[in-house]
Structure formats: C-alpha cells, structure tokens
Amino acid sequence: MMNSTVKTVSILGATGSVGQSTLDVISRNPNSFKVIALTAYSRVEELALAAKQFRASLAVIGDESKFGKLQELLAGTDIEVASGEKAIIEAASRPSDIVMAAIVGAAGLRPTMAAVRRGATIALANKECLVCAGELLMAEVEEHGATLLPVDSEHNAIYQVFDFNAAESVSRLVLTASGGPFLGRRRSELSAVTPSQAVAHPNWDMGAKISVDSATMMNKGLEVIEAYHLFPVEKRQIEVVVHPQSVIHSLVEYHDGSVLAQLGSPDMRIPIAYSLAWPGRIEVPVKRLSLAEIGTLSFIEPDYDAFRCLALARDAMMLGGAAPIILNAANEIAVDAFLKERLGFLEISALVEESLARCDMKAPQSLTNVFEIDAEARRVAQALSASFA
Ligand code: NAD
Ligand code: MG
C-alpha cells in the first residue's frame, strides 16, 4: 500500500545531468516518491534502464527512430512506451504531483507549458523556457494555479531566502557566478580554446550545453533573465558577482541592509531535493559544507569584455520582447556549432550579437509567436554560422 505522503513525479529529460541527479535523490527516498513518466531525446538504453529501475508507468523517447529499440528494451514489462514530441507533451500532461522540467533548451518549452496548464508543481531546471517565454509562462502559472520551484542553484538559493510577503523591501538580488573554466583570462586568450576545455567545469558536473554556457558566461546572462521572471524585482536590481568557490549560491539584499544567502556544496542534488520535498525537506547524502576546510571565499566583478555573452544577455533583457528569444536561439545554434568544432569560442558571442542585429524585434503576443521568432532566429544564426566557418 502506498502511503498518502508519497508524491508522484514525472521527469522530462530523465537521462540528462539534472534528470539523473533527480533519480538519484528519489532512489535515496524510495518511500517518499513514485515515478510516473520519464522522457529522453536519444539515450534510449539509459531511459529504459531508469524506467525499469524506478517502475515508471510511461517511458517516452523524443527521437522517433529509437521507438522500436525502446519497445524492444521494455518488452515484457508493463511500462507503456511512446515516442515523438507530442508524446513528451502528453507525458507532461499526465497527472503527477511534480514535474521535473530538465530538458535542455527551448525544446522544453511546450512540455513545460503543458505541465503548467494542468496546475502541476513544476521543478524548473530548464531556464531557457523562462528566457524565451517568461511573461507568457508566468501568466499561465498564475492562471492555472501552478507552482514553479526553481531548481537552478542560484534561483533556488534566492527562493529559499526571498521574503515574498515583503517583496517591496528587497533592494537587490545578487547572482553568484563561478566564472567557469576560463575565469581570469583576457579576451585575446580565449580565441583558441577547445570544446573539451570549455566543458571541463571546475565546480559543477553538467550537460555539454550549459557547460559551454558557463564557459562563455551566457549561462549567467540567461540566469539574470530567469531571475527577472521568477522574482518580483526590477531588471536593474539584479546583479552578478563572480565567486569562484561556488559556495554561496546567491544573495538577497533588503532595504535595511540585511543580506540573506543560501550556502552549500556545489551539488545539484541540494536544489533538486529542495524542490522535490518542498515545502518540507528530505535527507540528501551530499558533502557537508566545511567553511574552515574551504578557508577563503572570494568575489570579483565579471569581465564583460572577455565574457561578452553576459553583456549581450543583459542588453536583451533590457530590450525585452523578441530579444531574449533571439539571444537564446542564436546561442543554442552557436554552442552546437562550437561543440562540433565548426565555430570558434569567441564566435559564439559574435554570432549571437549579429543574429540580434539581423532579426525582427517585434514582441511576441502568443506562444505561437515565440516559436516563430525562435525558428527565424535559428535560420539566421545557422546561415551566419556557415558564413563564419
Ligand atoms: P543534459 O544535456 O545533460 O540533458 C538534457 C536532457 O534533455 C536529456 O535527458 C535529453 O534527452 C533531453 N533532451 C535534449 N534535447 C531534447 C529535445 N529536443 N526534446 C526532448 N528532450 C530533449 O542537460 P542538463 O545539464 O541536465 O540541463 C538540463 C536543463 O537544466 C538545462 O536547461 C540547463 O540549463 C538546466 N540546468 C542544469 C544544471 C546542471 O547542473 N546540469 C544546473 C542548472 C540548470
Ligand atoms: Mg545556475
């Protein structure tokens, strides 16, 4: 018999870094959670394995050419199988207490929106959703009574110390940034860096796309936009400070001069566990924070010249409308080209900047508009990428 405190969970992007950490947290708290749907794009073996291990009721593979393989791997079980984007959206629409939104990129927007529209509690890792459709998404959260819990470590930190009953007394949000693997280098020292150097993050073990975003600091730029949508503050109240140890995950300053922060080891299982257990807490076997062992915490201003993506993202936020969508789409194309060694590291920001200059800036009125702007920006960025190479 299942007890009534068991929460049901679906994971979108179950084979990714956040998805796997989510399963790890669940595996250590088997009496608290039951897995409903698991989705992945192409890693069919990992998906099938997780579906069996966690006795999921549904496994969905995005890549339709892998459907036969998924059927084969799950033959003889009672796990339902499906494939394609519609099936991922359907998985998000199925009843579950919590949806972990951990797909990477704008590809996660439709499934996340489906979860929002049924009023679910969404643990949101997929920051690109908010970057592309923050206003629309937050309006639907309101309309459908959904609950959005930020999983991104900075936003999770802010969420834990933000007094929503006294939002007007918040004077500043300070997002901390590790600075990534190239912290301290000048712009001229970045032209020849390789994908393997870029994905080797000093503190966090993450998927390839967000690792490159951390290396360019686009990640922090996307997070500034994410913070703007998640918390009731003005754009100018959001700041970034580089903090190489990644111990303080972000800070909230109040009018009276008090600054509240959340600290912890750099382990995504902490914010993931927080979102799964909210409003309670569960035990997670992460490394305990020993400040004496760490010794020194340091802080520096970001270098907006070397890490131009951070400046571009802030500008896009200030412009609003289509700009963040174009920024994100061009960045997704650029990062993909960089990982395939078809574009240099510094060309990532160049491609994003040029795409912003060339695309139509008309603000989206609907989700359909968001996807139109996204598709157009991808076309422009693809063409530019070919010309850069
Ligand atoms: P990842 O690349 O490791 O995993 C991505 C997941 O999304 C995989 O399960 C993949 O199958 C699925 N996916 C990819 N493309 C898809 C598509 N077109 N349709 C459906 N599914 C698709 O990524 P990650 O590092 O786990 O990051 C996931 C999200 O969480 C990103 O938005 C990232 O910015 C955010 N995030 C990650 C971390 C981290 O520590 N990894 C921290 C904070 C925020
Ligand atoms: Mg983060």
Side-chain angles (χ1 to χ4, degrees):
M1 260 277 289
M2 209 190 280
N3 81 50
S4 61
T5 61
V6 172
K7 291 184 186 175
T8 53
V9 184
S10 289
I11 307 175
L12 311 174
T15 55
S17 161
V18 171
Q20 293 286 302
S21 294
T22 304
L23 289 171
D24 182 86
V25 171
I26 290 175
S27 74
R28 293 164 199 278
N29 294 274
N31 300 323
S32 303
F33 304 103
K34 163 146 186 39
V35 172
I36 304 294
L38 296 177
T39 82
Y41 186 73
S42 60
R43 289 157 81 169
V44 67
E45 272 94 4
E46 283 100 322
L47 175 65
L49 193 70
K52 278 193 206 162
Q53 189 188 339
F54 288 88
R55 301 167 181 274
S57 24
L58 170 67
V60 183
I61 190 82
D63 181 349
E64 295 185 13
S65 73
K66 305 256 165 85
F67 182 57
K69 185 75 190 168
L70 184 64
Q71 280 181 310
E72 194 184 297
L73 290 165
L74 292 178
T77 71
D78 55 6
I79 303 166
E80 191 186 337
V81 290
S83 75
E85 194 196 350
K86 280 212 175 78
I88 295 180
I89 297 169
E90 200 273 321
S93 315
R94 282 207 189 177
S96 72
D97 296 316
I98 303 172
V99 173
M100 170 57 74
I103 290 174
V104 60
L109 181 50
R110 278 194 182 94
T112 303
M113 197 60 112
V116 168
R117 286 178 175 161
R118 68 172 173 80
T121 293
I122 294 123
L124 187 75
N126 186 194
K127 67 192 81 185
E128 294 90 347
C129 282
L130 279 175
V131 171
C132 294
E135 275 92 3
L136 294 167
L137 198 93
M138 295 311 286
E140 299 239 10
V141 165
E142 183 80 15
E143 183 185 339
H144 300 283
T147 303
L148 209 57
L149 300 169
V151 171
D152 210 349
S153 57
E154 297 75 5
H155 308 74
N156 187 267
I158 293 172
Y159 193 85
Q160 293 197 40
V161 296
F162 194 100
D163 186 350
F164 286 93
N165 295 315
E168 66 295 337
S169 62
V170 169
S171 49
R172 235 172 9 132
L173 303 184
V174 183
L175 301 185
T176 53
S178 68
F182 306 133
L183 174 63
R185 295 205 201 184
R186 289 188 301 266
R187 188 173 173 77
S188 58
E189 296 168 313
L190 289 172
S191 59
V193 303
T194 65
S196 58
Q197 290 169 328
V199 299
H201 197 279
N203 305 345
W204 300 95
D205 181 11
M206 309 180 287
K209 192 261 177 183
I210 182 176
S211 296
V212 174
D213 284 348
S214 298
T216 60
M217 290 193 74
M218 178 60 92
N219 183 50
K220 208 51 53 182
L222 299 177
E223 289 182 357
V224 168
I225 304 175
E226 182 185 11
Y228 169 66
H229 292 297
L230 284 171
F231 304 105
V233 295
E234 306 287 327
K235 292 171 179 174
R236 59 174 170 78
Q237 292 177 298
I238 308 171
E239 294 176 13
V240 173
V241 69
V242 175
H243 164 44
Q245 296 82 13
S246 301
V247 165
I248 299 181
H249 296 304
S250 281
L251 314 95
V252 177
E253 182 194 76
Y254 291 85
H255 280 334
D256 61 6
S258 284
V259 179
L260 270 60
Q262 183 260 1
L263 286 70
S265 298
D267 186 326
M268 281 306 291
R269 291 177 303 173
I270 298 174
I272 289 169
Y274 179 88
S275 327
L276 293 179
W278 182 89
R281 293 200 184 249
I282 48 175
E283 209 169 308
V284 196
V286 296
K287 188 175 188 305
R288 301 291 129 168
L289 188 63
S290 166
L291 290 174
E293 198 179 294
I294 295 160
T296 309
L297 297 181
S298 49
F299 306 92
I300 26 181
E301 281 296 326
D303 177 347
Y304 290 94
D305 178 52
F307 302 99
R308 177 135 185 83
C309 284
L310 180 54
L312 291 174
R314 182 172 280 281
D315 292 350
M317 172 178 71
M318 292 321 253
L319 278 168
I325 308 170
I326 299 165
L327 171 98
N328 177 70
N331 182 58
E332 287 192 34
I333 297 295
V335 170
D336 185 60
F338 170 71
L339 285 168
K340 292 176 174 146
E341 298 188 39
R342 292 201 207 116
L343 202 69
F345 185 77
L346 292 176
E347 286 168 336
I348 297 174
S349 60
L351 194 139
V352 171
E353 189 160 12
E354 192 55 33
S355 300
L356 279 162
R358 290 189 191 198
C359 289
D360 188 2
M361 288 284 185
K362 215 159 96 218
Q365 304 301 322
S366 66
L367 208 56
T368 308
N369 287 162
V370 170
F371 286 110
E372 286 162 0
I373 296 164
D374 175 80
E376 172 62 11
R378 279 168 205 269
R379 270 194 296 277
V380 169
Q382 252 342 329
L384 278 169
S385 163
S387 74
F388 278 25

